[in-house]
Amino acid sequence: MTILRTIDPSIAVAPQIDPDAIAELKAAGFSHIVNNRPDGEDFGQPSGDEIAAAAAAAGMQYSAIPVTHAGFSHPQIDAMAAVLAEADGAVLAYCRSGTRSCNLWALAAVKAGANPDTVMAKAAAAGYDLTGLRPLLDALSTPQ
């Protein structure tokens, strides 16, 4: 079984998934896969195209929102927020370890109106410490 960390009923994050895990993820109730990992980050990782093809074959949605060492941008945050708002079921986001996916979820959730304290608590319950993101979460929660 793929290692999942459930943040809330609408979103879970995971380390790199294999195309072979897609059917299992669909059976677990996920309707949308979000790839937060750039292709070629590690030797031997499945490509985004492989995951996308497996998701399509299983009747699932797939989005690629790669996050590199350069960090997060507003277009990435907006893309994640759109996926979360439009998903018809639970979303699974993955990267190398799940951390970038959790961070991007948190930024998107707060930008969409979620309370930063609530977001931080959900992340902590899933095993992620968002303390370093707090200034950005607060900035995104302040009306511009």
Side-chain angles (χ1 to χ4, degrees), residues 83-140:
V83 165
L84 295 169
E86 297 165 9
D88 185 23
V91 173
L92 175 75
Y94 75 91
C95 59
R96 184 191 321 231
S97 68
T99 301
R100 279 176 284 183
S101 294
C102 181
N103 290 351
L104 186 57
W105 160 79
L107 295 166
V110 168
K111 191 171 182 183
N115 180 288
D117 291 331
T118 302
V119 166
M120 289 187 68
K122 285 181 178 185
Y128 294 99
D129 179 2
L130 300 184
T131 303
L133 275 185
R134 185 60 195 241
L136 187 50
L137 293 172
D138 287 340
L140 287 171

Side-chain angles (χ1 to χ4, degrees), residues 4-105:
L4 305 177
R5 291 191 186 192
T6 301
I7 295 172
D8 68 26
S10 68
I11 177 84
V13 298
Q16 176 69 57
I17 61 172
D18 276 334
D20 295 344
I22 298 293
E24 178 183 17
L25 294 167
K26 171 129 177 137
F30 293 97
S31 67
H32 201 122
I33 304 291
V34 177
N35 177 1
N36 295 132
R37 195 164 190 205
D39 278 345
E41 187 174 59
D42 278 335
F43 177 77
Q45 82 185 58
S47 71
D49 288 344
E50 291 174 271
I51 302 294
M60 298 172 74
Q61 297 294 311
Y62 171 87
S63 297
I65 311 170
V67 177
T68 67
H69 67 280
F72 303 95
S73 67
H74 282 283
Q76 290 166 319
I77 296 167
D78 293 342
M80 186 68 163
V83 165
L84 295 169
E86 297 165 9
D88 185 23
V91 173
L92 175 75
Y94 75 91
C95 59
R96 184 191 321 231
S97 68
T99 301
R100 279 176 284 183
S101 294
C102 181
N103 290 351
L104 186 57
W105 160 79

